[in-house]
């Protein structure tokens, strides 16, 4: 950088290139006529000049100086000031270099922790050793990385590799006793990172280099990790570039130790979550088996008993005409009880099902109504509208309850269920051709009648919807169910 004072006859545009930085401070004097800087100054009309080298790492990398077109204008104080400026510039250069190095380490650990080893991703998808090695290798500024795991036989085996050029395994799945891997054993024993540097022909027969590293590896950082009480291993970060070998300083080792600890934490967390998922699946299987057993018991024991009762009642009707009306009443009650038992058996089997609630309601209605010898007409206006799970679940339960009521009370021959999707809402109309419905039946009686209708009203109220039943003794019954698709909204009755 050139700074020109007012009135200076020297034109900075004509300065041209500077000579090489001097090894020692240079002062333009008569006896320095053959010096490179003296020749450069004379050719440009500079009569007074002081040049001080800018040092970095013990060698001159630049120069700083003062120049004048008048002789004798620079003094010894100017030389001291220039030495101070040179020292400050050198310190600034070193500081900027360290700052760039720290920024690089920060970027590297940020990529490793926030991208490759993100906790939320590990909670969603159980990671594998290979996947973790690839992700860590892609995030680190290194040639390759490998994950070696300690097995039950006290051996280390490579479980995953990643990076720009991961080493090719000479023997797939090969393992070596930890006792033969001195550096890895040291890292695990002392629980700290170990740095090893290699020359091209240095220690070619060393166990770690033969088993785990590439032949061109110039340095490797061995970092231990622990994943729970049963799993130990090391993360090997290898570097083949000569220019990157000095970067294996204590700061980078500390950063990579943090990455290795996060790797162990991710593995431990993932295994704990997987154990919990397995336990949940086992419990669900047990519940499913128990539901199926209960459904069989209800269907077989209760259903068979009611069927036998129906057969006996029908046989009595042929021999006892006097009590025909009473027997017909008993027959209807037994038939309703059997239909109800079938509905309960189906409901128990479907309990906990993970399918679409509305599809489950369709299957429930088809199964229960066919068992009661009642025709079902299910019409749904297909659209791309997505129904929230909570809304679909409550609507499905109301459909199930309404179908159960039809089987138990309506004595219907046909049922029509129509699903429509007006803007922002879902509407279900259920109509049967049974004996009808009066408003007196909507109240809750002491024997429990009417609780189902009250439950339906409460279900729809929770999701902001409406429930209505209307009918007459000669025209069947219609049920209207309507709810908003957006949770938090409420429809007006």
């Amino acid at each position: 950088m050139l700074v020109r004072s007012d009135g200076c006859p020297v034109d900075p545009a004509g300065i041209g290139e500077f000579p090489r930085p001097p090894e020692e401070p240079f002062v333009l004097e008569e006896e320095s006529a053959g010096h490179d800087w003296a020749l450069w100054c004379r050719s440009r009309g500079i009569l007074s000049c002081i040049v001080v080298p800018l040092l970095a790492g013990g060698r001159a990398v630049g120069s700083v100086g003062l120049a004048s077109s008048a002789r004798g204008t620079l003094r010894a104080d100017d030389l001291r000031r220039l030495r101070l400026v040179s020292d400050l510039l050198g310190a600034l250069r070193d500081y900027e270099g360290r700052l760039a190095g720290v920024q690089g380490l920060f970027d590297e650990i940020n990529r490793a922790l926030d991208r490759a080893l993100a906790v939320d991703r590990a909670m969603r998808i159980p990671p594998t050793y290979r996947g973790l090695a690839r992700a860590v290798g892609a995030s680190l500024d290194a040639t390759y990385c490998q994950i070696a795991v300690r097995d039950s036989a006290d051996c280390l085996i490579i479980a995953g590799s990643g990076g720009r050029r991961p080493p090719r395994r000479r023997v797939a799945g090969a393992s070596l006793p930890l006792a033969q891997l001195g550096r890895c054993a040291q890292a695990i024993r002392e629980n700290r990172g170990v740095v090893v540097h290699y020359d091209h022909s240095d220690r070619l027969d060393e166990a770690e280099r033969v088993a785990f590293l590439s032949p061109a590896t110039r340095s490797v950082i061995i970092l231990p990790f622990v994943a729970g009480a049963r799993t130990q291993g090391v993360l090997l970060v290898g570097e083949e570039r000569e220019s990157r070998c000095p970067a294996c300083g204590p700061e980078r080792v500390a950063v990579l130790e943090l990455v290795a600890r996060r790797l162990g934490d991710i593995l431990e967390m993932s295994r704990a979550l997987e154990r919990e998922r397995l336990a949940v699946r086992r419990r669900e299987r047990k519940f499913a088996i128990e539901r199926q057993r209960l459904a069989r018991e209800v269907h077989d024991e209760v259903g068979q008993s009611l069927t036998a009762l129906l057969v006996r009642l029908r046989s009595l009707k042929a021999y006892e005409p006097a009590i025909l009306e009473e027997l017909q009443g008993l027959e209807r009650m037994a038939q309703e009880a059997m239909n109800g038992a079938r509905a309960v058996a189906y409901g128990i089997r479907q309990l906990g099902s993970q399918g679409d609630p509305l599809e489950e309601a369709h299957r429930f209605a088809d199964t229960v109504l066919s068992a009661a010898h009642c025709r079902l007409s299910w019409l749904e206006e297909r659209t791309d509208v997505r129904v929230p799970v909570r809304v679909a679940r409550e609507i499905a339960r109301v459909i199930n309850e309404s179908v159960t009521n039809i089987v138990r009370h309506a004595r219907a021959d046909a049922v029509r269920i129509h699903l429509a999707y007006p803007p922002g809402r879902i509407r279900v109309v259920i109509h049967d051709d049974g004996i009808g419905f009066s408003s007196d039946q909507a109240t809750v009686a002491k024997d429990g009648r009417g609780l189902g209708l009250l439950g339906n009203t409460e279900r729809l109220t929770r999701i902001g919807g409406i429930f209505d039943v209307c009918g007459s003794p000669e025209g069947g019954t219609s049920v209207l169910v309507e709810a908003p698709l957006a949770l938090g909204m409420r429809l007006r009755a």
Side-chain angles (χ1 to χ4, degrees), residues 232-292:
Q232 283 184 317
V234 292
L235 173 66
L236 299 109
V237 180
E239 184 57 69
E240 297 178 351
R241 295 170 294 179
E242 179 73 26
S243 60
R244 290 294 300 166
C245 290
C248 301
E251 295 87 358
R252 189 158 192 263
V253 173
V255 166
L256 293 178
E257 285 177 345
L258 180 60
V259 172
R261 284 196 294 271
R262 171 66 75 86
L263 174 65
D265 294 341
I266 290 290
L267 289 171
E268 182 178 5
M269 181 189 310
S270 173
R271 290 177 179 176
L273 289 173
E274 188 61 24
R275 288 193 296 269
E276 182 62 27
R277 293 188 185 103
L278 288 174
V280 169
R281 285 197 287 269
R282 291 192 193 100
R283 289 195 296 268
E284 289 178 349
R285 282 197 295 268
K286 290 180 180 179
F287 291 155
I289 293 171
E290 184 64 16
R291 287 196 301 269
Q292 292 171 2

Side-chain angles (χ1 to χ4, degrees), residues 74-132:
L74 301 178
R75 298 182 297 275
D77 290 343
D78 296 318
L79 176 60
R80 287 194 296 271
R81 284 195 292 269
L82 279 180
R83 285 180 181 273
L84 178 60
V85 170
S86 175
D87 293 340
L88 291 176
L89 289 175
L92 179 61
R93 179 186 174 91
D94 292 341
Y95 171 77
E96 289 178 344
R98 289 196 299 271
L99 182 61
V102 171
Q103 183 65 42
L105 288 176
F106 176 80
D107 294 340
E108 186 176 31
I109 193 173
N110 183 62
R111 290 194 302 269
L113 297 184
D114 290 349
R115 300 179 189 176
L117 300 175
V119 175
D120 56 343
R121 183 185 305 169
M123 293 180 68
R124 292 193 307 269
I125 305 174
T128 62
Y129 285 116
R130 291 182 179 181
L132 287 172

Side-chain angles (χ1 to χ4, degrees), residues 48 103 144 160 174 178 219 246-247 292 398:
S48 296
Q103 183 65 42
Y144 64 87
L178 189 60
S219 66
Q292 292 171 2
V398 172

Side-chain angles (χ1 to χ4, degrees), residues 110-410:
N110 183 62
R111 290 194 302 269
L113 297 184
D114 290 349
R115 300 179 189 176
L117 300 175
V119 175
D120 56 343
R121 183 185 305 169
M123 293 180 68
R124 292 193 307 269
I125 305 174
T128 62
Y129 285 116
R130 291 182 179 181
L132 287 172
R134 293 192 187 100
V136 173
S139 64
L140 296 181
D141 184 16
T143 305
Y144 64 87
C145 76
Q146 299 201 95
I147 297 176
V149 182
R150 186 178 187 177
D151 60 15
S152 58
D154 206 27
C155 297
L156 278 184
I157 182 170
I158 295 296
S161 301
R164 297 179 179 86
R165 290 189 301 275
R168 294 182 179 179
R169 301 189 197 179
R170 300 177 186 178
V171 180
S175 62
L176 280 179
L178 189 60
Q180 299 180 16
L181 306 171
R183 306 286 185 168
C184 294
Q186 177 188 354
I188 293 176
R189 182 176 61 254
E190 299 178 1
N191 194 28
R192 66 177 181 85
V194 174
V195 181
V196 185
H197 293 279
Y198 297 101
D199 292 332
H200 286 296
S201 59
D202 184 31
R203 291 174 284 183
L204 292 176
D205 59 344
E206 191 174 64
E208 281 97 349
R209 191 171 188 181
V210 172
F212 299 151
L213 309 181
S214 66
T217 299
R218 305 306 305 275
S219 66
V220 62
I221 306 176
I222 305 173
L223 305 142
F225 67 84
V226 178
R230 299 183 180 180
T231 303
Q232 283 184 317
V234 292
L235 173 66
L236 299 109
V237 180
E239 184 57 69
E240 297 178 351
R241 295 170 294 179
E242 179 73 26
S243 60
R244 290 294 300 166
C245 290
C248 301
E251 295 87 358
R252 189 158 192 263
V253 173
V255 166
L256 293 178
E257 285 177 345
L258 180 60
V259 172
R261 284 196 294 271
R262 171 66 75 86
L263 174 65
D265 294 341
I266 290 290
L267 289 171
E268 182 178 5
M269 181 189 310
S270 173
R271 290 177 179 176
L273 289 173
E274 188 61 24
R275 288 193 296 269
E276 182 62 27
R277 293 188 185 103
L278 288 174
V280 169
R281 285 197 287 269
R282 291 192 193 100
R283 289 195 296 268
E284 289 178 349
R285 282 197 295 268
K286 290 180 180 179
F287 291 155
I289 293 171
E290 184 64 16
R291 287 196 301 269
Q292 292 171 2
R293 186 190 67 81
L294 289 174
R296 285 193 300 269
E297 293 291 333
V298 171
H299 182 272
D300 296 342
E301 298 296 332
V302 180
Q304 290 171 7
S305 298
L306 291 173
T307 301
L309 176 61
L310 278 173
V311 171
R312 295 189 63 184
L313 287 173
R314 288 166 181 167
S315 64
L316 287 174
K317 286 166 56 178
Y319 297 102
E320 299 292 340
I323 57 172
L324 179 60
E325 184 177 351
E326 183 177 352
L327 291 175
Q328 287 176 342
L330 291 174
E331 181 185 10
R332 284 195 302 271
M333 292 174 61
Q335 184 67 54
E336 291 176 0
M338 188 166 63
N339 293 338
R342 289 172 176 169
V344 171
Y346 181 88
I348 292 174
R349 281 189 176 273
Q350 297 301 316
L351 188 63
S353 174
Q354 298 299 318
D356 181 9
L358 295 176
E359 289 294 332
E360 292 294 334
H362 187 183
R363 287 193 289 269
F364 175 85
D366 185 59
T367 301
V368 173
L369 291 173
S370 63
H373 307 289
C374 184
R375 297 188 308 277
L376 170 64
S377 172
W378 180 286
L379 176 62
E380 182 174 3
E381 298 177 1
R382 293 291 181 181
T383 64
D384 295 332
V385 175
R386 180 182 177 276
V387 182
V389 176
R390 182 184 173 190
V391 174
R393 187 168 55 243
E394 298 295 351
I395 294 287
R397 288 173 178 170
V398 172
I399 293 175
N400 292 350
E401 177 64 24
S402 301
V403 169
T404 302
N405 287 337
I406 292 172
V407 171
R408 294 175 59 191
H409 307 300

